[in-house]
């Protein structure tokens, strides 16, 4: 099928490349000339495992191209909207400027029978508001949220857990004939996942939009729940990692996303829960999700706690102490530093006068652009050399598995390690003479 993908960031670039890899003829369209040039050469503008191979393969096959020219969408029959919906500058609500611009830019090229599939995370009610403009061209709008995780984006796009399509409804509330047809077209687009019996859930617009924000709200709540338990563990001497293991054995709870530490960040969870609160307020139901304010507050307190631990570990002051921060990305397997708890901790320590050295396997270029005041060292061992304390804030394998306390001891005389992700073997580090501090564990 001929597809267009409007917006070639983390979501759109992966979607375009993945769709080409399953046999479609895809054009990716973005306003950013530099990004388009890189993608057209098969170069990924950000770190995402598996993406470079898909890009080069797609471009070489002739089934994948990138352009800044919206007229290229005219040939396509399904158009995906994958632009960003960042937090607005003046509040918690999502900024829909890019979604509106993408849809308006696309309108002149739509033909009767085309499908416009919104993938961006939007406040509930957005699709209903956009639909009349799309319908006026004879095309159909569907909302088809994306659940990809950075670091696993390729796999999540080609083999998702589930597919959700919010389609136009008939007055009965059931999908209209137009909605049924749109769902059939999407089934054809996602043919390998459909053939593999991936659940394909057809809903109305509002439900599809809410599925996405509800999923992210749930995940954020799960993380903040365990971080709240970490706060209680800290005043009782309990160990939150054992607690998480024990409650996680209950299949109704599950161990995943019960990793206590410095909390969640990135381009999705923080802004999505804030936008959800803002939208619920607008709808007069702010109280229904008022707990999300608490989820956000708990999350941000864990960054304070990590900084406090480093200060305590260094005897009450970090001034002129060398602190090596292991990690800058908001999570491993990513070079994304948007709302990164790791970088936030680094910046705060530097603000307290510490001599902060930051290292990360992928995120240094992005971190340097945003926080040029920090010192960056690419080589992990060189970064650790001479540190008074080391602080693990992103659980890359390079720190979690491949850095032994024996080896670290050869690099520095400082014997303090703060484990902001509870990812190290505390006993092994202590046995080697290190003073170990975890988050919510003794
Ligand atoms: C998230 C959702 O998982 C995904 O479905 C959605 O489409 C986009 O938002 P992503 O932002 O890539 O994906 O990251 P995710 O793996 O969910 O991690 C988010 C943050 O939570 C990271 O900062 C991570 O370090 C943190 N986290 C995760 C924890 O602090 N503890 C955990 O147990 C799990």
């Amino acid at each position: 099928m001929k597809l267009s993908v409007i917006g070639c960031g983390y979501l759109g670039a992966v979607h375009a490349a993945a769709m080409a890899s399953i046999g479609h003829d895809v054009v990716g369209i973005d306003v950013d000339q530099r990004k388009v040039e890189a993608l057209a050469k098969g170069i990924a503008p950000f770190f995402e495992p598996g993406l470079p191979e898909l890009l080069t393969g797609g471009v070489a096959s002739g089934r994948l191209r990138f352009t800044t020219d919206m007229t290229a969408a005219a040939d396509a029959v399904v158009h995906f909207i994958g632009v960003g919906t960042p937090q607005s500058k003046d509040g918690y609500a999502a900024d829909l400027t890019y979604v509106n611009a993408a849809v308006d830019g696309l309108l002149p090229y739509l033909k009767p029978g085309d499908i416009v599939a919104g993938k961006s995370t939007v406040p509930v009610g957005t699709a209903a508001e956009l639909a009349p403009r799309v319908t006026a061209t004879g095309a159909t709008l569907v909302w088809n949220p994306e659940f990809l995780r950075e670091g696993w984006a390729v796999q999540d796009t080609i083999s998702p857990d589930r597919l959700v399509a919010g389609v136009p409804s008939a007055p009965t509330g059931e999908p209209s004939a137009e909605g049924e047809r749109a769902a059939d077209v999407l089934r054809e687009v996602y043919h390998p996942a459909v053939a593999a019996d991936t659940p394909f859930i057809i809903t109305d617009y509002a439900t599809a939009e809410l599925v996405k924000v509800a999923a992210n709200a749930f995940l954020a709540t799960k993380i903040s729940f365990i971080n709240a338990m970490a706060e209680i563990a800290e005043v009782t001497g309990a160990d939150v990692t054992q607690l998480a293991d024990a409650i996680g054995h209950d299949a109704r709870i599950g161990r995943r996303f019960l990793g206590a530490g410095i909390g969640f960040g990135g381009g999705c969870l923080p802004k999505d829960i804030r936008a959800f609160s803002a939208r619920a307020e607008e709808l007069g139901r702010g109280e229904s999700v008022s707990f999300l304010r608490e989820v956000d507050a708990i999350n941000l307190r864990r960054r304070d706690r990590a900084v406090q631990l480093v200060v305590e570990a260094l005897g009450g002051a970090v001034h002129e102490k060398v602190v090596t921060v292991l990690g800058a990305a908001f999570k491993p397997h990513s070079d994304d530093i948007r709302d990164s708890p790791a970088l936030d901790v680094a910046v705060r320590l530097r603000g307290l006068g510490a001599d902060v050295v930051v290292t990360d396997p992928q995120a240094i270029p992005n971190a340097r652009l945003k926080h040029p005041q920090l010192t960056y060292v690419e080589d992990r061992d060189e970064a650790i050399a001479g540190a008074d304390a080391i602080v693990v804030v992103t659980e890359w394998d390079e720190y979690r598995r491949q850095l032994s306390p024996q080896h670290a001891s050869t690099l520095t005389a400082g014997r303090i390690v703060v484990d902001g992700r509870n990812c190290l073997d505390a006993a092994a580090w202590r046995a080697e003479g290190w003073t170990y501090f975890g988050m919510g564990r003794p």
Side-chain angles (χ1 to χ4, degrees):
M1 294 175 85
K2 284 187 185 298
L3 315 179
S4 79
V5 179
I6 321 295
C8 297
Y10 284 96
L11 165 57
V14 175
H15 194 69
M19 292 301 106
S21 81
I22 59 171
H24 298 299
D25 194 347
V26 186
V27 60
I29 305 174
D30 198 288
V31 292
D32 184 336
Q33 178 82 39
R34 288 222 328 253
K35 198 183 279 175
V36 162
E37 274 169 18
L39 287 164
K41 286 188 205 135
I43 301 168
F46 47 85
F47 176 75
E48 184 61 48
L51 180 60
E53 295 81 350
L54 283 197
L55 284 173
T56 43
V59 171
S61 73
R63 281 200 310 274
L64 178 62
R65 62 198 180 93
F66 293 93
T67 177
T68 54
D69 181 5
M70 192 65 107
T71 60
D75 285 343
V77 292
V78 181
H79 311 268
F80 290 98
I81 308 288
V83 293
T85 51
Q87 188 175 330
S88 355
K89 292 201 171 52
D90 56 355
Y92 273 6
D95 177 354
L96 293 179
T97 314
Y98 305 110
V99 171
N100 279 309
V103 171
D104 288 338
L106 188 59
L107 290 178
Y109 308 105
L110 293 177
K111 314 171 284 302
D114 279 9
I115 306 286
V116 177
K119 296 204 77 66
S120 308
T121 303
V122 291
V124 56
T126 305
E129 217 174 289
L130 293 171
R133 284 187 257 166
V134 174
T135 312
T137 67
T140 302
L141 179 70
V142 299
W143 216 263
N144 172 222
E146 184 56 63
F147 303 99
L148 63 80
R149 298 158 298 167
E150 286 177 27
W152 282 268
V154 169
Q155 181 195 320
D156 287 350
T157 304
I158 297 176
S159 315
D161 292 340
R162 76 295 208 188
L163 288 156
V164 175
V167 303
S169 310
T172 56
E174 294 296 302
S176 62
E178 183 196 7
E180 294 279 10
R181 191 189 80 85
D184 285 343
V185 174
L186 279 191
R187 279 196 190 90
E188 226 176 302
V189 170
Y190 296 115
H191 61 96
V194 170
D197 283 336
T198 304
F200 189 99
I201 300 156
I202 299 172
T203 68
D204 54 26
Y205 286 151
T207 307
E209 291 163 329
L210 277 172
V211 167
K212 171 66 194 216
V213 286
N216 278 356
F218 189 86
L219 293 172
T221 304
K222 204 170 174 191
I223 298 169
S224 278
F225 174 82
I226 201 65
N227 278 330
M229 296 305 106
E231 291 186 335
I232 303 296
E234 272 153 14
V235 293
T236 53
D239 183 333
V240 75
T241 58
Q242 285 187 315
L243 179 141
D245 289 343
I247 64 172
H249 282 298
D250 183 332
R252 293 168 303 173
I253 297 175
R255 181 64 174 82
R256 291 175 76 189
F257 273 67
L258 284 182
I262 58 169
F264 59 82
C268 292
L269 298 191
K271 69 125 176 125
D272 287 352
I273 61 167
R274 291 171 195 155
F276 195 8
S277 297
R279 185 66 185 131
E281 292 279 347
E282 284 169 10
L283 294 166
R285 280 286 180 274
E287 73 272 25
S288 303
V289 291
S290 59
F291 67 93
L292 290 178
R293 305 268 171 174
E294 208 52 54
V295 165
D296 201 6
I298 294 165
N299 191 51
L300 295 176
R301 280 206 299 273
R302 299 316 285 162
R303 303 177 185 191
D304 302 338
R305 172 65 182 164
V307 171
Q308 184 196 2
L309 270 180
V310 178
V311 173
E312 279 171 16
L314 287 168
V318 293
H319 191 69
E320 290 182 359
K321 293 280 172 60
V322 180
V323 178
T324 296
V325 174
L326 298 178
F330 84 104
K331 69 172 195 181
H333 314 290
S334 172
D335 64 355
D336 195 347
I337 54 148
R338 287 177 294 170
D339 206 341
S340 168
L343 258 188
D344 200 10
V345 167
V347 167
R348 290 194 209 185
L349 287 167
R350 152 105 192 180
L352 293 174
D355 201 347
V356 174
V357 177
V358 178
T359 186
D360 188 284
Q362 293 294 339
I364 291 180
N366 285 341
R368 190 180 267 131
L369 278 178
K370 177 123 192 264
H371 296 293
Q373 77 277 22
L374 297 173
T375 303
Y376 297 95
V377 173
E378 284 198 17
D379 182 76
R380 181 200 67 190
D381 287 1
E382 206 182 301
I384 293 173
D388 293 305
I390 62 178
V391 190
V392 181
V393 278
T394 313
E395 67 278 33
W396 286 99
D397 275 350
E398 283 82 343
Y399 317 138
R400 189 167 66 124
R401 292 184 199 279
Q402 296 157 17
L403 177 65
S404 69
Q406 292 78 0
H407 180 63
S409 299
T410 66
L411 303 171
T412 177
R415 290 284 182 276
I416 292 167
V417 59
V418 176
D419 183 3
R421 292 292 184 180
N422 288 341
C423 61
L424 303 178
D425 179 345
W429 283 79
R430 286 189 174 125
E432 201 57 33
W434 287 72
T435 308
Y436 171 94
F437 298 85
M439 303 288 292
R441 64 199 295 209

